[in-house]
Amino acid sequence: MSKLGVGIAQPYVRDAFVPPTAPPVLERGFLAWARKNLFSSISNTILTLVGIYLTYALVWPIIQFGIIDAVWSGTNADCRENGHGACWPMVQAKLGQYIYGRYPGDERWRVDIVFYSGLALLIPFLIPFVPFKRLNAILLLGVYPLVAFVLLTGGNLRIGGMFGDLMGLGGVMGFVGDWSIMIAVIAGLLLAFGRVAGLAMLVPTIVVAAILAIIGLAVVVAGIDFGLEQVETALWGGLLVTLVIAITGIVASLPLGILLALGRRSDMPIIKTFCVGFIEFWRGVPLITVLFMSSVMFPLFLPEGVTVNKLLRALVGVALFSSAYMAEVVRGGLQAIPKGQYEGAQAVGLSYWQMMGLIVLPQALKHVIPGIVNSFIALFKDTTLVLIIGLFDLLGIIQLSFTDASWASTVQSHTGYLFAAIIFWAFCFSMSQYSYYIERTLHTGHKR
Amino acid sequence: MAARDDSRIDDDAPAKASLFYDPRFRSIVAQVVLLLLVVWGGYEIVRNTSANLEKQQIASGFGFLDRTAGFGIIQTLVDYTEESSYGRTFIVGLLNTILISALGILLATALGFVVGVARLSSNWVISRIALAYVEIMRNIPLLLHIFIWYFAVLRSLPQPRDEPITLIPGFAFLNVKGVFMPQLVSEPGFWMTATALGVALVLSMLVANWSRKRQEATGQQFPVGLTALGLIIALPAITFLATGRPASLEYPVFVETGPVLRRGFTQDVGINVIPEFISLLLALSTYTAAYIAEIVRAGIQAVNHGQTEASFSLGLRRGPTLRLVVIPQAMRVIIPPMTNQYLNLTKNSSLATAIAYPDLVSVFAGTTLNQTGQAVEIILMTMGVYLTLSISISIVMNWYNARIALVER
């Protein structure tokens, strides 16, 4: 070719970079992504279109009902006139009822204090890197329940004593007298046993006495008259009851579950049989029958004259039920601890409880925190079942509010259910997200 | 002297300490204490209960099962009238519980598998929809699911006297009273058709077994599906025609004109699936399907990707790869947690009592308990039934699990 050229041509030298051309439209950005992920083949395209249609058909009516067509302010007249959108003024008007149930209006500040102080203690406890965990745990699990109990019920528990009353002390002081006598007798017996058996029993005696004294102190605090008005549990309702049942259930079921799990893995045949039977029994029956049992059968078990409040009975049922599930969660954690850990602990001379408390359980419980959170979510959802035995949790109170004729309209129940669904979803979803977060944070031991 | 001192220490000190520190002695003491506590607790409960029952003048024992119940039940699988006994009530409730659990398990498994596979789809829209389904469904309490289906969705359907929604033209209709379908009315001689169906099923299973053995031995395939389909359709059909069509379908009758009270579907003609059943079934299966979907997803992800690649390189296409290579291995991971979900679904079917679907808890632990007041016997029987159901499902699933488990050396 060049031979055909005329003269000596200056060879072409490119002295600047050609700016890179953008890839073809179909290979970049959203279009490329869509082509690759949504429309790569005919069947894929059909799937995508069906999926988009499904989403539209299912989600759009809810958006339309809940947001676009909804009545945001006004009275029931507006809702009735609208007739096909959510009636949010009803929820605003009933919000107090949804949160507190029939708790007296002037006393609701007490519930608020319980809610907010609980949050203030719980949030730092849940964030792994916040310090003072031990103090936080003592406040949250030791002091807070007592404060919450006194604030919610009004305290002033009717307690008395037998010997204390004979000594002329009444009410709380009578109990203090009784309790002191009991502590003194137990401490004396322990010391005497130590002397006979030739063992140093001073430290164990002090520990036992201190624990008993703390329990006594808690009862005394619950029995002091703080001048708060008594609020019967029959008046409690809404979110308050949901949270009380769920939180008491989980807090009570954790130690019980740990004991049952240890028992299930123990070598002692009678204890093992008992724990296996207990766990399998509660896991084999539905919660409803447990609640029925607590509401109709449990009163029959008690001696004549003793009555237990309905909420407390439900709490006992829920705690026993969830402790069986908790036991299985904890057992999973215990099984994940290699045998070397047990043997190592025994080799350095730790007793059974020292081995479990200092070596095995801390590792095992760390493994199963997500499982514990999951049982908490399950328990939180299951609290709705108490409406069947006539307690009004959040769903129960919303269901009850549909009987209110002043807010009657065609959208009354739809609005209520949508609201309930949003609240329950928000609680459960955030808990499950927390469980994922903690799983990632704590998964340090065997991460590669 | 020294030697004697040593021997005394050897004799005395360990003997004293050994009893207190001896693990065996401690374990015996602990077990005896537990046993005493349990026996004492049980004794107290029995004593208090019998005293309380005596005071409230409630009879005890199971004699009440023979007494007349005197209340109607809206869905019964066996003959039941108001004159039937409480024992019959128990059977009706039990069968209704089993019906809803079995159908719920089937539906939940099917839907759960679809959603679980969709969650792994390479199609972004489909996988997001599956994710949203799972996250929404399992974070809302089941009772709320049931209420939404029963009080919000099904109550919005056409009223009994209005034009119903047609599900299958001329065949199935839907209104606020539930689904109306034709009923099969059999005449004498129909048993032969039923027997033919049974024979066809057995034959299909035999053929499948024979074909599997032949394929393992020779590699030759046999069209099992077509043969089975032909057998199951043709055999009963031929018998049915040969015996002179001894059955007919009784279609639901919808009256549009005439007196207002007579309008709507005529009672007791055709099958009416009650709305309580529909909403409970939908709620149970869609809720449990969310959990099953997660289990299926985890199971499929647990199968090494090398298995899929190896299968592709052998020339298997996507469908056979999923069906023959991935799913059988995933099943080993899926079955144990799936058993738990089946148990949960069965136990959760007791929520029926909230919308008065006549399951065991509703008619027996509810109405019967209120009428007789025999709380102890009824609650124990109810719990016993659920325990038995749980154990039976566990046994079946464990047997299946053992069958598909990886056989190692």
Side-chain angles (χ1 to χ4, degrees):
Chain A
M1 289 285 267
S2 62
K3 277 179 183 169
L4 294 174
V6 182
I8 306 161
Q10 177 75 30
Y12 172 72
V13 176
R14 173 169 276 179
D15 54 2
F17 281 111
V18 174
T21 329
V25 171
L26 289 179
E27 290 298 325
R28 65 188 144 115
F30 175 74
L31 277 180
W33 176 86
R35 240 166 79 103
K36 193 160 160 262
N37 286 299
L38 304 180
F39 305 106
S40 61
S41 66
I42 295 175
S43 58
N44 215 348
T45 310
I46 294 173
L47 271 182
T48 307
L49 294 180
V50 169
I52 291 173
Y53 174 73
L54 261 182
T55 318
Y56 168 77
L58 291 174
V59 174
W60 183 245
I62 296 176
I63 294 178
Q64 212 169 14
F65 175 80
I67 299 173
I68 297 176
D69 289 349
V71 178
W72 291 94
S73 60
T75 60
N76 192 33
D78 300 314
C79 292
R80 234 176 274 174
E81 196 182 322
N82 176 300
H84 55 279
C87 180
W88 295 123
M90 178 186 86
V91 173
Q92 281 160 23
K94 299 250 169 206
L95 200 60
Q97 207 187 0
Y98 291 169
I99 295 175
Y100 307 99
R102 291 190 292 135
Y103 209 89
D106 295 342
E107 306 293 326
R108 287 183 179 173
W109 58 272
R110 283 154 50 179
V111 184
D112 289 337
I113 291 183
V114 171
F115 278 158
Y116 291 126
S117 57
L119 272 183
L121 285 172
L122 191 66
I123 290 174
F125 187 71
L126 292 181
I127 303 175
F129 51 79
V130 174
F132 307 118
K133 277 280 178 290
R134 183 178 292 249
L135 177 70
N136 201 331
I138 292 174
L139 284 177
L140 185 66
L141 300 174
V143 178
Y144 177 71
L146 187 62
V147 174
F149 175 81
V150 170
L151 277 173
L152 290 180
T153 59
N156 201 2
L157 203 65
R158 255 180 291 132
I159 48 176
M162 284 155 56
F163 300 107
D165 286 353
L166 288 181
M167 288 190 298
L169 308 159
V172 175
M173 289 316 290
F175 172 79
V176 173
D178 266 12
W179 201 257
S180 325
I181 293 170
M182 192 185 86
I183 294 178
V185 169
I186 291 177
L189 281 176
L190 279 176
L191 285 176
F193 173 75
R195 170 153 289 191
V196 172
L199 299 164
M201 289 294 278
L202 192 60
V203 176
T205 308
I206 292 173
V207 170
V208 168
I211 291 173
L212 285 175
I214 289 173
I215 294 173
L217 189 68
V219 178
V220 167
V221 170
I224 295 177
D225 185 1
F226 290 98
L228 294 171
E229 194 191 322
Q230 298 281 311
V231 182
E232 280 181 52
T233 55
L235 296 177
W236 301 12
L239 193 60
L240 173 64
V241 162
T242 300
L243 289 176
V244 163
I245 294 178
I247 293 176
T248 320
I250 208 79
V251 170
S253 69
L254 195 57
L256 264 177
I258 291 175
L259 283 181
L260 284 169
L262 290 177
R264 190 167 184 162
R265 283 174 59 79
S266 119
D267 301 327
M268 306 178 219
I270 295 179
I271 289 187
K272 187 174 175 176
T273 317
F274 174 77
C275 290
V276 171
F278 186 92
I279 293 171
E280 294 305 329
F281 172 75
W282 292 107
R283 269 163 44 93
V285 296
L287 182 56
I288 291 217
T289 55
V290 175
L291 290 173
F292 268 130
M293 186 174 148
S294 77
S295 77
V296 296
M297 226 164 115
F298 191 63
L300 294 175
F301 291 166
L302 296 173
E304 233 185 304
V306 180
T307 53
V308 179
N309 156 333
K310 198 173 183 182
L311 180 67
L312 186 59
R313 288 195 314 239
L315 278 177
V316 171
V318 167
L320 290 177
F321 182 78
S322 50
S323 69
Y325 284 84
M326 192 59 81
E328 289 298 278
V329 171
V330 174
R331 182 164 75 110
L334 289 176
Q335 282 176 345
I337 306 303
K339 203 160 187 332
Q341 296 289 321
Y342 293 85
E343 291 167 348
Q346 282 165 345
V348 292
L350 298 185
S351 75
Y352 177 80
W353 291 107
Q354 283 172 327
M355 170 176 79
M356 286 302 174
L358 298 173
I359 309 291
V360 178
L361 278 176
Q363 301 183 62
L365 291 181
K366 194 180 112 172
H367 274 298
V368 295
I369 286 179
I372 294 175
V373 177
N374 281 344
S375 3
F376 187 70
I377 296 175
L379 184 58
F380 189 82
K381 287 188 290 179
D382 281 347
T383 50
T384 51
L385 303 196
V386 295
L387 80 88
I388 288 166
I389 56 164
L391 289 167
F392 294 105
D393 77 311
L394 182 59
L395 182 57
I397 210 100
I398 289 177
Q399 181 93 344
L400 184 72
S401 74
F402 298 155
T403 53
D404 182 357
S406 63
W407 284 99
S409 68
T410 48
V411 291
Q412 193 184 23
S413 64
H414 295 64
T415 308
Y417 289 134
L418 183 62
F419 178 72
I422 292 171
I423 296 294
F424 275 106
W425 186 84
F427 267 96
C428 296
F429 185 70
S430 38
M431 283 189 277
S432 72
Q433 292 305 305
Y434 175 73
S435 141
Y436 288 136
Y437 161 73
I438 209 78
E439 203 169 346
R440 282 196 304 274
T441 321
L442 293 181
H443 221 271
T444 48
H446 30 105
K447 192 156 66 181
R448 291 200 178 85
Chain B
M1 277 299 267
R4 226 162 67 195
D5 275 348
D6 281 347
S7 71
R8 221 179 68 196
I9 288 166
D10 282 344
D11 286 343
D12 290 350
K16 214 173 230 174
S18 69
L19 199 59
F20 189 71
Y21 287 115
D22 183 2
R24 267 187 310 177
F25 174 72
R26 283 185 166 199
S27 98
I28 289 171
V29 168
Q31 300 193 61
V32 168
V33 167
L34 180 77
L35 202 61
L36 286 178
L37 279 178
V38 170
V39 169
W40 176 67
Y43 168 74
E44 279 291 312
I45 285 177
V46 169
R47 200 177 57 117
N48 286 333
T49 309
S50 54
N52 283 326
L53 287 179
E54 207 166 306
K55 210 184 77 198
Q56 295 175 15
Q57 300 190 326
I58 299 174
S60 55
F62 290 93
F64 75 97
L65 287 176
D66 297 328
R67 295 214 309 270
T68 306
F71 61 90
I73 298 179
I74 50 176
Q75 178 193 306
T76 56
L77 294 180
V78 288
D79 289 335
Y80 177 87
T81 59
E82 289 190 11
E83 283 81 48
S84 302
S85 65
Y86 285 123
R88 195 77 180 165
T89 314
F90 175 77
I91 302 287
V92 168
L94 176 60
L95 287 177
N96 282 342
T97 291
I98 292 177
L99 176 73
I100 195 100
S101 312
L103 282 178
I105 284 176
L106 281 180
L107 269 182
T109 311
L111 186 59
F113 259 88
V114 170
V115 177
V117 173
R119 187 100 153 66
L120 293 171
S121 164
S122 57
N123 187 314
W124 188 84
V125 171
I126 296 293
S127 71
R128 289 294 124 159
I129 289 176
L131 176 68
Y133 176 87
V134 169
E135 289 296 350
I136 291 173
M137 284 296 172
R138 67 175 180 178
N139 283 323
I140 293 176
L142 178 58
L143 193 60
L144 186 52
H145 277 275
I146 296 176
F147 281 168
I148 289 175
W149 280 111
Y150 187 60
F151 291 115
V153 178
L154 293 189
R155 286 283 163 89
S156 317
L157 292 173
Q159 289 301 307
R161 306 190 207 302
D162 297 340
E163 177 80 29
I165 297 173
T166 307
L167 291 178
I168 306 169
F171 203 78
F173 305 92
L174 179 70
N175 71 12
V176 75
K177 291 278 181 191
V179 172
F180 292 85
M181 289 190 311
Q183 187 175 17
L184 189 73
V185 182
S186 61
E187 290 151 30
F190 185 67
W191 63 272
M192 290 173 72
T193 310
T195 319
L197 184 66
V199 171
L201 283 175
V202 172
L203 277 181
S204 309
M205 271 189 264
L206 289 179
V207 168
N209 206 6
W210 167 79
S211 127
R212 190 171 48 80
K213 280 196 181 132
R214 194 177 76 144
Q215 191 181 354
E216 277 167 12
T218 65
Q220 288 169 310
Q221 289 185 334
F222 185 79
V224 180
L226 280 178
T227 320
L229 199 68
L231 271 175
I232 290 171
I233 290 177
L235 210 57
I238 292 169
T239 323
F240 183 68
L241 293 177
T243 48
R245 303 187 185 191
S248 59
L249 286 178
E250 184 188 62
Y251 286 88
V253 178
F254 186 76
V255 185
E256 274 177 273
T257 50
V260 177
L261 286 178
R262 292 274 176 81
R263 283 186 209 167
F265 284 103
T266 314
Q267 276 210 328
D268 299 328
V269 180
I271 297 178
N272 175 15
V273 184
I274 55 175
E276 288 82 6
F277 179 83
I278 300 170
S279 42
L280 186 63
L281 182 64
L282 286 174
L284 275 177
S285 46
T286 50
Y287 176 80
T288 314
Y291 288 90
I292 293 184
E294 281 299 274
I295 292 168
V296 169
R297 178 184 65 94
I300 292 178
Q301 279 180 337
V303 178
N304 195 325
H305 191 60
Q307 297 283 329
T308 321
E309 288 172 341
S311 162
F312 284 159
S313 70
L314 282 176
L316 270 69
R317 272 173 292 152
R318 280 196 92 82
T321 301
L322 200 64
R323 195 157 44 82
L324 298 173
V325 177
V326 177
I327 297 277
Q329 298 186 68
M331 282 316 256
R332 296 185 186 126
V333 184
I334 290 175
I335 290 298
M338 192 89 112
T339 312
N340 274 337
Q341 290 309 321
Y342 289 174
L343 293 176
N344 280 345
L345 191 145
T346 309
K347 285 182 283 173
N348 284 336
S349 71
S350 60
L351 295 189
T353 182
I355 54 167
Y357 168 75
D359 82 320
L360 182 68
V361 171
S362 183
V363 297
F364 196 64
T367 318
T368 306
L369 173 60
N370 285 340
Q371 288 191 359
T372 60
Q374 293 197 300
V376 179
E377 293 87 349
I378 288 178
I379 297 282
L380 285 184
M381 275 175 80
T382 313
M383 286 182 155
V385 165
Y386 281 100
L387 280 176
T388 319
L389 283 179
S390 298
I391 292 169
S392 327
I393 295 178
S394 296
I395 289 176
V396 171
M397 294 301 280
N398 283 343
W399 166 79
Y400 183 62
N401 191 32
R403 220 178 70 116
I404 62 162
L406 195 62
V407 183
E408 289 183 332
R409 278 158 294 148

